[in-house]
Coordinates of all heavy atoms in Angstrom, one line a residue:
M1 N 67.9 49.3 -34.4 CA 68.5 50.5 -34.8 C 67.9 50.8 -36.2 O 67.6 49.9 -37.0 CB 70.0 50.4 -34.9 CG 70.7 51.7 -35.3 SD 72.4 51.8 -35.0 CE 72.5 51.6 -33.2
D2 N 67.7 52.1 -36.5 CA 67.2 52.5 -37.8 C 68.2 53.3 -38.6 O 69.3 53.6 -38.1 CB 65.8 53.2 -37.7 CG 66.0 54.5 -36.9 OD1 67.1 55.0 -36.7 OD2 64.9 55.0 -36.4
C3 N 67.9 53.7 -39.8 CA 68.8 54.4 -40.7 C 69.2 55.8 -40.1 O 70.4 56.1 -40.2 CB 68.2 54.6 -42.1 SG 67.8 53.1 -43.0
K4 N 68.2 56.4 -39.5 CA 68.6 57.7 -38.9 C 69.6 57.6 -37.8 O 70.5 58.4 -37.7 CB 67.3 58.4 -38.4 CG 67.5 59.7 -37.7 CD 66.2 60.4 -37.2 CE 66.6 61.7 -36.6 NZ 65.5 62.3 -35.9
R5 N 69.4 56.6 -37.0 CA 70.3 56.4 -35.8 C 71.7 56.0 -36.3 O 72.7 56.4 -35.8 CB 69.8 55.3 -34.9 CG 70.6 55.1 -33.7 CD 70.5 56.3 -32.7 NE 71.2 56.0 -31.5 CZ 72.0 56.9 -30.9 NH1 72.2 58.1 -31.4 NH2 72.6 56.5 -29.8
V6 N 71.8 55.2 -37.4 CA 73.1 54.8 -38.0 C 73.8 56.1 -38.4 O 75.0 56.3 -38.1 CB 72.9 53.9 -39.2 CG1 74.2 53.8 -40.0 CG2 72.5 52.5 -38.7
G7 N 73.1 57.0 -39.1 CA 73.7 58.3 -39.5 C 74.2 59.1 -38.3 O 75.2 59.8 -38.4
E8 N 73.5 59.0 -37.2 CA 73.9 59.8 -36.0 C 75.1 59.2 -35.3 O 75.9 59.9 -34.7 CB 72.8 59.8 -35.0 CG 71.5 60.6 -35.4 CD 70.3 60.4 -34.5 OE1 70.4 59.5 -33.6 OE2 69.3 61.1 -34.8
V9 N 75.4 57.9 -35.4 CA 76.5 57.2 -34.7 C 77.6 56.7 -35.6 O 78.5 56.1 -35.1 CB 75.9 56.1 -33.8 CG1 74.9 56.6 -32.8 CG2 75.3 54.9 -34.6
I10 N 77.5 56.9 -36.9 CA 78.5 56.3 -37.8 C 79.9 56.7 -37.4 O 80.8 55.9 -37.5 CB 78.1 56.7 -39.3 CG1 78.9 55.9 -40.2 CG2 78.3 58.2 -39.5 CD1 78.5 56.0 -41.7
F11 N 80.1 57.9 -37.0 CA 81.5 58.3 -36.7 C 82.0 57.8 -35.4 O 83.2 57.6 -35.2 CB 81.7 59.9 -36.8 CG 81.7 60.3 -38.3 CD1 80.6 60.9 -38.8 CD2 82.8 60.1 -39.1 CE1 80.6 61.3 -40.2 CE2 82.8 60.4 -40.4 CZ 81.7 61.0 -41.0
L12 N 81.1 57.5 -34.5 CA 81.5 56.7 -33.3 C 82.1 55.4 -33.7 O 83.1 54.9 -33.1 CB 80.3 56.5 -32.3 CG 79.7 57.8 -31.7 CD1 78.4 57.4 -30.9 CD2 80.7 58.5 -30.9
F13 N 81.5 54.7 -34.7 CA 82.0 53.5 -35.1 C 83.4 53.6 -35.7 O 84.3 52.9 -35.4 CB 81.0 52.9 -36.2 CG 81.5 51.6 -36.8 CD1 81.5 50.4 -36.2 CD2 82.0 51.7 -38.1 CE1 82.0 49.3 -36.8 CE2 82.5 50.5 -38.7 CZ 82.4 49.3 -38.0
F14 N 83.5 54.6 -36.6 CA 84.8 54.8 -37.3 C 85.9 55.3 -36.4 O 87.1 55.1 -36.6 CB 84.7 55.7 -38.5 CG 84.1 55.0 -39.7 CD1 82.8 55.2 -40.1 CD2 84.8 54.0 -40.4 CE1 82.3 54.6 -41.2 CE2 84.3 53.3 -41.5 CZ 83.0 53.6 -41.9
D15 N 85.5 56.0 -35.3 CA 86.4 56.5 -34.3 C 86.7 55.5 -33.2 O 87.4 55.8 -32.3 CB 86.0 57.9 -33.8 CG 86.0 59.0 -34.8 OD1 86.7 58.9 -35.8 OD2 85.3 60.0 -34.5
N16 N 86.1 54.4 -33.3 CA 86.3 53.3 -32.3 C 85.8 53.8 -30.9 O 86.4 53.5 -29.9 CB 87.7 52.8 -32.2 CG 87.8 51.5 -31.6 OD1 86.9 50.7 -31.5 ND2 89.0 51.2 -31.0
E17 N 84.7 54.6 -30.9 CA 84.2 55.1 -29.7 C 82.7 54.7 -29.5 O 82.1 55.1 -28.5 CB 84.2 56.7 -29.8 CG 85.6 57.2 -29.8 CD 85.7 58.7 -29.9 OE1 84.6 59.4 -30.0 OE2 86.8 59.3 -30.0
M18 N 82.3 53.7 -30.3 CA 80.9 53.2 -30.1 C 80.8 52.3 -28.9 O 81.6 51.4 -28.7 CB 80.4 52.5 -31.4 CG 79.0 52.1 -31.3 SD 78.4 51.3 -32.9 CE 78.3 52.8 -33.9
E19 N 79.8 52.6 -28.1 CA 79.6 51.8 -26.9 C 79.2 50.3 -27.3 O 78.5 50.2 -28.3 CB 78.5 52.4 -26.0 CG 78.8 53.8 -25.5 CD 77.7 54.5 -24.8 OE1 76.6 53.8 -24.6 OE2 77.9 55.6 -24.4
E20 N 79.6 49.4 -26.5 CA 79.3 48.0 -26.9 C 77.8 47.7 -27.1 O 77.5 46.9 -28.0 CB 79.8 47.1 -25.8 CG 81.3 46.9 -25.8 CD 81.8 46.2 -27.0 OE1 81.2 45.2 -27.5 OE2 82.9 46.6 -27.6
E21 N 76.9 48.3 -26.3 CA 75.5 48.0 -26.5 C 75.0 48.5 -27.8 O 73.9 48.1 -28.3 CB 74.7 48.5 -25.3 CG 74.7 50.0 -25.1 CD 75.8 50.4 -24.1 OE1 76.7 49.6 -23.7 OE2 75.8 51.6 -23.8
L22 N 75.7 49.5 -28.5 CA 75.2 49.9 -29.8 C 75.8 49.2 -30.9 O 75.3 49.1 -32.0 CB 75.6 51.4 -30.0 CG 74.9 52.5 -29.2 CD1 75.4 53.8 -29.4 CD2 73.4 52.4 -29.5
L23 N 77.0 48.5 -30.7 CA 77.7 47.9 -31.8 C 77.0 46.8 -32.5 O 76.9 46.8 -33.7 CB 79.1 47.4 -31.2 CG 80.1 47.0 -32.3 CD1 80.4 48.1 -33.2 CD2 81.4 46.6 -31.6
T24 N 76.4 45.9 -31.7 CA 75.6 44.8 -32.4 C 74.4 45.3 -33.1 O 74.2 44.9 -34.3 CB 75.2 43.7 -31.3 OG1 76.4 43.2 -30.8 CG2 74.4 42.6 -31.9
P25 N 73.5 46.1 -32.5 CA 72.4 46.6 -33.3 C 72.9 47.4 -34.6 O 72.2 47.3 -35.6 CB 71.7 47.6 -32.4 CG 72.1 47.2 -31.0 CD 73.5 46.6 -31.1
F26 N 74.0 48.2 -34.4 CA 74.5 48.9 -35.6 C 74.9 47.9 -36.7 O 74.5 48.1 -37.8 CB 75.7 49.7 -35.1 CG 76.4 50.5 -36.2 CD1 76.0 51.8 -36.5 CD2 77.5 50.0 -36.8 CE1 76.7 52.5 -37.5 CE2 78.2 50.7 -37.8 CZ 77.8 51.9 -38.1
R27 N 75.7 46.9 -36.3 CA 76.1 45.9 -37.3 C 75.0 45.2 -37.9 O 74.9 44.9 -39.1 CB 77.1 45.0 -36.7 CG 78.5 45.6 -36.5 CD 79.4 44.5 -35.9 NE 80.7 45.0 -35.8 CZ 81.6 44.5 -35.0 NH1 81.4 43.5 -34.2 NH2 82.8 45.0 -34.9
D28 N 74.0 44.8 -37.1 CA 72.8 44.1 -37.6 C 72.1 44.9 -38.6 O 71.7 44.4 -39.7 CB 71.9 43.7 -36.4 CG 72.5 42.6 -35.5 OD1 73.5 42.0 -35.9 OD2 71.9 42.4 -34.4
H29 N 71.9 46.2 -38.3 CA 71.1 47.0 -39.2 C 71.9 47.2 -40.5 O 71.3 47.1 -41.6 CB 70.8 48.4 -38.6 CG 70.1 49.3 -39.5 ND1 68.7 49.3 -39.7 CD2 70.5 50.3 -40.4 CE1 68.4 50.1 -40.6 NE2 69.5 50.8 -41.0
V30 N 73.1 47.5 -40.4 CA 73.9 47.8 -41.6 C 74.0 46.5 -42.5 O 74.0 46.6 -43.7 CB 75.3 48.3 -41.3 CG1 76.2 48.5 -42.5 CG2 75.2 49.7 -40.6
S31 N 74.0 45.4 -41.9 CA 74.1 44.1 -42.6 C 72.8 43.9 -43.4 O 72.8 43.3 -44.5 CB 74.3 42.9 -41.7 OG 75.5 43.0 -41.1
A32 N 71.7 44.4 -42.9 CA 70.4 44.2 -43.5 C 69.9 45.3 -44.4 O 68.9 45.2 -45.1 CB 69.3 43.9 -42.4
C33 N 70.6 46.5 -44.3 CA 70.1 47.7 -45.0 C 71.1 48.1 -46.1 O 72.2 48.6 -45.7 CB 69.9 48.8 -44.0 SG 69.3 50.4 -44.8
G34 N 70.7 47.9 -47.3 CA 71.6 48.3 -48.4 C 72.0 49.8 -48.4 O 73.2 50.1 -48.7
D35 N 71.1 50.6 -48.1 CA 71.4 52.1 -48.1 C 72.5 52.4 -47.0 O 73.4 53.2 -47.2 CB 70.1 52.9 -47.8 CG 69.2 52.9 -49.0 OD1 69.7 52.6 -50.2 OD2 68.0 53.2 -48.8
C36 N 72.3 51.8 -45.8 CA 73.3 52.1 -44.8 C 74.6 51.4 -45.1 O 75.7 52.0 -44.7 CB 72.7 51.6 -43.4 SG 71.4 52.8 -42.8
A37 N 74.6 50.3 -45.7 CA 75.8 49.6 -46.1 C 76.6 50.5 -47.1 O 77.8 50.7 -47.0 CB 75.6 48.3 -46.7
K38 N 75.9 51.1 -48.0 CA 76.5 52.1 -48.9 C 77.1 53.3 -48.2 O 78.1 53.8 -48.5 CB 75.5 52.5 -50.0 CG 75.1 51.5 -51.0 CD 74.1 52.0 -52.0 CE 73.6 50.9 -52.9 NZ 72.6 51.3 -53.8
K39 N 76.3 53.8 -47.2 CA 76.8 54.9 -46.4 C 78.1 54.6 -45.7 O 79.0 55.4 -45.6 CB 75.7 55.3 -45.4 CG 76.0 56.6 -44.6 CD 75.0 56.9 -43.6 CE 73.6 57.2 -44.3 NZ 72.6 57.7 -43.3
I40 N 78.2 53.3 -45.1 CA 79.4 52.9 -44.4 C 80.5 52.8 -45.4 O 81.6 53.3 -45.2 CB 79.2 51.5 -43.8 CG1 78.1 51.6 -42.7 CG2 80.5 50.9 -43.3 CD1 78.6 52.3 -41.4
D41 N 80.3 52.2 -46.6 CA 81.3 52.1 -47.6 C 81.8 53.5 -48.1 O 83.0 53.7 -48.2 CB 80.8 51.3 -48.8 CG 81.9 51.0 -49.8 OD1 83.0 50.4 -49.3 OD2 81.7 51.2 -51.0
Y42 N 80.9 54.4 -48.3 CA 81.2 55.8 -48.8 C 82.1 56.5 -47.7 O 83.1 57.1 -48.0 CB 80.0 56.6 -49.1 CG 80.3 58.0 -49.4 CD1 80.7 58.4 -50.7 CD2 80.2 59.0 -48.4 CE1 81.0 59.7 -51.0 CE2 80.5 60.3 -48.7 CZ 80.9 60.6 -50.0 OH 81.2 62.0 -50.3
T43 N 81.6 56.4 -46.5 CA 82.3 57.0 -45.4 C 83.7 56.4 -45.2 O 84.7 57.2 -45.0 CB 81.5 56.9 -44.1 OG1 80.2 57.5 -44.3 CG2 82.2 57.6 -42.9
R44 N 83.9 55.1 -45.3 CA 85.2 54.5 -45.2 C 86.1 55.0 -46.3 O 87.2 55.3 -46.0 CB 85.0 52.9 -45.3 CG 86.4 52.2 -45.3 CD 86.3 50.7 -45.4 NE 86.0 50.2 -44.1 CZ 84.8 49.7 -43.7 NH1 83.8 49.6 -44.6 NH2 84.6 49.3 -42.5
K45 N 85.6 55.1 -47.5 CA 86.4 55.6 -48.6 C 86.8 57.0 -48.4 O 87.9 57.4 -48.7 CB 85.7 55.4 -50.0 CG 85.6 54.0 -50.4 CD 84.7 53.8 -51.6 CE 84.6 52.3 -52.0 NZ 83.7 52.1 -53.2
L46 N 85.9 57.8 -47.9 CA 86.2 59.2 -47.7 C 87.3 59.4 -46.6 O 88.2 60.1 -46.8 CB 84.9 60.0 -47.2 CG 85.1 61.4 -46.7 CD1 85.5 62.3 -47.9 CD2 83.8 61.9 -46.1
L47 N 87.1 58.6 -45.5 CA 88.1 58.6 -44.5 C 89.5 58.1 -45.0 O 90.5 58.7 -44.5 CB 87.7 57.9 -43.3 CG 86.5 58.5 -42.5 CD1 86.0 57.5 -41.4 CD2 86.8 59.8 -42.0
L48 N 89.5 57.2 -45.9 CA 90.8 56.7 -46.4 C 91.4 57.8 -47.3 O 92.7 58.0 -47.2 CB 90.6 55.5 -47.2 CG 90.3 54.2 -46.4 CD1 89.9 53.0 -47.3 CD2 91.5 53.8 -45.6
V49 N 90.6 58.6 -48.0 CA 91.2 59.7 -48.8 C 91.8 60.7 -47.9 O 92.9 61.2 -48.1 CB 90.1 60.3 -49.7 CG1 90.6 61.6 -50.3 CG2 89.8 59.3 -50.8
V50 N 91.0 61.0 -46.8 CA 91.5 62.0 -45.8 C 92.8 61.5 -45.2 O 93.8 62.2 -45.1 CB 90.5 62.3 -44.7 CG1 91.1 63.1 -43.6 CG2 89.3 63.0 -45.3
R51 N 92.9 60.2 -44.9 CA 94.1 59.6 -44.3 C 95.2 59.7 -45.2 O 96.3 60.1 -44.8 CB 93.8 58.2 -44.0 CG 95.0 57.5 -43.3 CD 94.6 56.0 -43.0 NE 95.8 55.4 -42.4 CZ 95.9 54.1 -42.3 NH1 95.0 53.3 -42.9 NH2 97.0 53.6 -41.7
Q52 N 95.0 59.4 -46.5 CA 96.1 59.5 -47.5 C 96.6 61.0 -47.6 O 97.8 61.2 -47.7 CB 95.6 59.0 -48.8 CG 95.4 57.5 -48.9 CD 94.7 57.1 -50.1 OE1 94.2 57.9 -50.9 NE2 94.7 55.8 -50.4
R53 N 95.7 61.9 -47.6 CA 96.1 63.3 -47.7 C 96.9 63.7 -46.4 O 97.8 64.5 -46.5 CB 94.9 64.2 -47.8 CG 94.1 64.0 -49.1 CD 94.9 64.5 -50.3 NE 94.0 64.4 -51.5 CZ 94.3 63.5 -52.5 NH1 95.3 62.7 -52.5 NH2 93.5 63.5 -53.5
C54 N 96.5 63.2 -45.3 CA 97.2 63.6 -44.1 C 98.7 63.0 -44.1 O 99.5 63.6 -43.4 CB 96.5 63.0 -42.8 SG 95.1 64.1 -42.4
L55 N 98.9 62.0 -44.8 CA 100.3 61.4 -44.9 C 101.2 62.4 -45.7 O 102.4 62.4 -45.5 CB 100.3 60.1 -45.6 CG 99.7 58.9 -44.8 CD1 99.6 57.7 -45.6 CD2 100.5 58.7 -43.5
R56 N 100.6 63.2 -46.5 CA 101.3 64.1 -47.4 C 101.4 65.5 -46.9 O 102.1 66.3 -47.5 CB 100.8 64.1 -48.8 CG 100.9 62.8 -49.5 CD 100.5 62.8 -50.9 NE 99.4 61.9 -51.1 CZ 98.6 61.9 -52.1 NH1 98.6 62.8 -53.0 NH2 97.6 61.0 -52.1
C57 N 100.6 65.9 -45.9 CA 100.6 67.3 -45.5 C 100.7 67.3 -44.0 O 100.7 66.3 -43.3 CB 99.3 67.9 -45.9 SG 97.8 67.3 -45.2
S58 N 100.9 68.5 -43.5 CA 101.0 68.6 -42.0 C 99.6 69.0 -41.4 O 98.8 69.6 -42.0 CB 102.0 69.7 -41.6 OG 101.5 71.0 -42.1
A59 N 99.4 68.4 -40.3 CA 98.2 68.7 -39.5 C 98.6 68.5 -38.0 O 99.6 67.9 -37.7 CB 97.1 67.7 -39.9
P60 N 97.8 69.0 -37.1 CA 98.1 68.8 -35.7 C 98.3 67.3 -35.4 O 97.6 66.5 -35.9 CB 96.9 69.3 -35.0 CG 96.3 70.3 -35.9 CD 96.5 69.7 -37.3
D61 N 99.3 67.0 -34.6 CA 99.7 65.6 -34.3 C 98.5 64.8 -33.8 O 98.3 63.7 -34.2 CB 100.8 65.6 -33.3 CG 102.2 66.0 -33.9 OD1 102.3 65.9 -35.1 OD2 103.1 66.4 -33.1
R62 N 97.7 65.4 -32.9 CA 96.5 64.7 -32.4 C 95.6 64.2 -33.5 O 95.1 63.1 -33.5 CB 95.8 65.5 -31.4 CG 94.7 64.8 -30.7 CD 94.2 65.7 -29.5 NE 93.1 64.9 -28.9 CZ 92.0 65.5 -28.4 NH1 91.9 66.8 -28.4 NH2 91.0 64.8 -27.9
L63 N 95.3 65.1 -34.5 CA 94.4 64.8 -35.6 C 95.0 63.8 -36.5 O 94.4 62.8 -36.8 CB 94.1 66.1 -36.4 CG 93.3 65.9 -37.6 CD1 91.9 65.3 -37.3 CD2 93.1 67.2 -38.4
R64 N 96.3 63.9 -36.8 CA 97.0 62.9 -37.6 C 96.9 61.5 -37.0 O 96.6 60.5 -37.6 CB 98.4 63.3 -37.9 CG 98.6 64.5 -38.8 CD 100.0 65.0 -39.0 NE 100.9 63.9 -39.3 CZ 101.2 63.4 -40.5 NH1 100.7 64.0 -41.5 NH2 102.1 62.4 -40.6
H65 N 97.2 61.5 -35.7 CA 97.1 60.2 -35.0 C 95.8 59.6 -35.1 O 95.6 58.4 -35.3 CB 97.6 60.4 -33.5 CG 97.6 59.1 -32.7 ND1 98.5 58.1 -33.0 CD2 96.8 58.7 -31.8 CE1 98.3 57.1 -32.2 NE2 97.3 57.4 -31.4
R66 N 94.7 60.3 -34.8 CA 93.3 59.8 -34.9 C 93.0 59.2 -36.3 O 92.4 58.2 -36.4 CB 92.3 60.8 -34.5 CG 92.1 60.9 -33.0 CD 90.9 61.9 -32.7 NE 89.7 61.2 -32.9 CZ 88.5 61.7 -32.8 NH1 88.4 63.0 -32.5 NH2 87.4 61.1 -33.0
I67 N 93.4 60.0 -37.3 CA 93.1 59.6 -38.6 C 93.9 58.3 -39.0 O 93.4 57.4 -39.6 CB 93.4 60.7 -39.6 CG1 92.3 61.8 -39.4 CG2 93.3 60.2 -41.1 CD1 92.6 63.1 -40.1
L68 N 95.2 58.3 -38.7 CA 96.1 57.2 -39.1 C 95.8 55.9 -38.3 O 96.0 54.9 -38.9 CB 97.5 57.7 -38.9 CG 98.0 58.8 -39.9 CD1 99.4 59.2 -39.5 CD2 97.9 58.3 -41.3
F69 N 95.4 56.0 -37.1 CA 95.4 54.8 -36.3 C 94.0 54.4 -35.9 O 93.9 53.3 -35.2 CB 96.3 55.0 -35.1 CG 97.7 55.2 -35.4 CD1 98.3 56.4 -35.3 CD2 98.5 54.2 -36.0 CE1 99.6 56.7 -35.7 CE2 99.8 54.4 -36.4 CZ 100.4 55.6 -36.2
N70 N 93.0 55.1 -36.2 CA 91.6 54.7 -35.9 C 90.8 54.1 -37.0 O 89.6 54.0 -36.9 CB 90.9 55.8 -35.2 CG 91.3 56.1 -33.8 OD1 91.9 55.2 -33.2 ND2 91.1 57.2 -33.3
M71 N 91.4 53.9 -38.2 CA 90.7 53.4 -39.3 C 90.4 51.9 -39.1 O 91.2 51.2 -38.7 CB 91.5 53.6 -40.6 CG 91.7 55.0 -41.0 SD 90.1 55.9 -41.3 CE 89.5 54.9 -42.6
P72 N 89.2 51.5 -39.6 CA 88.9 50.1 -39.5 C 89.6 49.2 -40.4 O 90.0 49.7 -41.5 CB 87.4 50.1 -39.8 CG 87.1 51.3 -40.4 CD 88.2 52.3 -40.1
H73 N 89.8 48.0 -40.1 CA 90.4 47.0 -41.0 C 89.3 46.6 -41.9 O 88.1 46.4 -41.6 CB 90.9 45.8 -40.2 CG 92.0 46.1 -39.3 ND1 93.3 46.2 -39.7 CD2 92.0 46.3 -37.9 CE1 94.0 46.5 -38.6 NE2 93.3 46.5 -37.5
R74 N 89.6 46.3 -43.2 CA 88.7 45.8 -44.2 C 88.7 44.3 -44.2 O 89.7 43.7 -44.4 CB 89.1 46.4 -45.5 CG 88.1 46.1 -46.6 CD 87.2 47.2 -46.8 NE 86.4 47.0 -48.0 CZ 85.1 47.2 -48.1 NH1 84.5 47.7 -47.0 NH2 84.5 47.0 -49.2
N75 N 87.5 43.7 -43.9 CA 87.4 42.3 -44.0 C 86.4 41.8 -45.0 O 86.0 40.7 -45.1 CB 87.2 41.6 -42.7 CG 85.8 41.9 -42.2 OD1 84.9 42.5 -42.8 ND2 85.5 41.4 -40.9
G76 N 86.0 42.7 -45.9 CA 85.0 42.3 -46.9 C 83.6 42.6 -46.7 O 82.8 42.8 -47.6
N77 N 83.2 42.7 -45.4 CA 81.7 42.9 -45.2 C 81.4 44.3 -44.8 O 80.3 44.7 -44.6 CB 81.2 41.9 -44.1 CG 81.7 42.2 -42.7 OD1 82.5 43.2 -42.5 ND2 81.4 41.4 -41.8
G78 N 82.5 45.1 -44.6 CA 82.2 46.5 -44.3 C 81.9 46.8 -42.9 O 81.6 47.9 -42.6
L79 N 81.8 45.8 -42.1 CA 81.4 46.0 -40.7 C 82.4 45.6 -39.7 O 82.1 45.4 -38.5 CB 80.1 45.1 -40.4 CG 78.9 45.5 -41.3 CD1 77.8 44.5 -41.0 CD2 78.5 46.9 -41.1
D80 N 83.6 45.6 -40.1 CA 84.7 45.2 -39.2 C 85.0 46.3 -38.1 O 84.6 47.4 -38.3 CB 86.0 45.0 -40.0 CG 86.1 45.8 -41.2 OD1 85.1 46.0 -41.9 OD2 87.2 46.4 -41.5
Q81 N 85.5 45.8 -37.1 CA 85.8 46.7 -35.9 C 87.0 47.6 -36.2 O 88.0 47.1 -36.7 CB 86.0 45.9 -34.7 CG 86.3 46.7 -33.4 CD 85.1 47.5 -33.0 OE1 84.0 47.1 -33.2 NE2 85.4 48.6 -32.3
P82 N 86.9 48.9 -35.9 CA 88.1 49.7 -36.1 C 89.2 49.3 -35.2 O 89.0 48.5 -34.2 CB 87.6 51.1 -35.6 CG 86.1 51.0 -35.7 CD 85.7 49.6 -35.5
R83 N 90.4 49.7 -35.5 CA 91.6 49.3 -34.7 C 91.4 49.9 -33.4 O 90.9 51.0 -33.1 CB 92.8 49.9 -35.3 CG 93.2 49.2 -36.6 CD 94.6 49.7 -36.9 NE 94.7 49.8 -38.4 CZ 95.7 50.3 -39.0 NH1 96.8 50.6 -38.3 NH2 95.8 50.3 -40.3

C-alpha cells in the first residue's frame, strides 16, 4: 500500500468498513510511514472533536450512532482496530 491509497481508504478504517485484505497492508504502511501516521493521528483527533460536538448537539440518530460507536480504541500505536 502507498500513501495515496491510505488517503483513499482512511475513512473505511475509521468507519470499521475496511476489508480484511486491506487491513494488514494499511497497518504495515502506516507503521512505516511517518506522514501517514500523522494523517491517522490528525484524522482520529478530528473525529474525536466531531464526536464531542455531537454529544452536545442534535443530529440525525443514524449519524450520531456512527460517530459515537465506530471510533477506534486508542492503544498507543495509532493503528488499533475500530470498535
Side-chain angles (χ1 to χ4, degrees):
M1 185 163 298
D2 60 19
C3 298
K4 181 180 178 188
R5 185 71 174 136
V6 167
E8 293 170 353
V9 300
I10 192 169
F11 287 103
L12 293 176
F13 175 75
F14 282 108
D15 290 341
N16 199 24
E17 296 177 359
M18 185 174 284
E19 297 172 5
E20 283 296 319
E21 62 268 9
L22 288 178
L23 194 55
T24 297
F26 178 87
R27 286 181 173 160
D28 289 347
H29 178 82
V30 174
S31 293
C33 179
D35 288 339
C36 286
K38 287 177 187 176
K39 186 183 297 187
I40 293 290
D41 189 52
Y42 175 83
T43 303
R44 175 178 282 109
K45 288 175 183 176
L46 175 66
L47 291 173
L48 286 172
V49 168
V50 171
R51 181 180 182 199
Q52 290 170 346
R53 297 290 187 247
C54 283
L55 289 172
R56 293 186 240 162
C57 65
S58 64
D61 287 338
R62 184 171 179 216
L63 175 61
R64 288 176 49 89
H65 181 69
R66 273 187 82 182
I67 291 169
L68 293 173
F69 298 108
N70 286 338
M71 291 301 297
H73 297 280
R74 184 95 169 137
N75 70 4
N77 69 3
L79 298 176
D80 32 317
Q81 180 66 27
R83 291 189 215 178

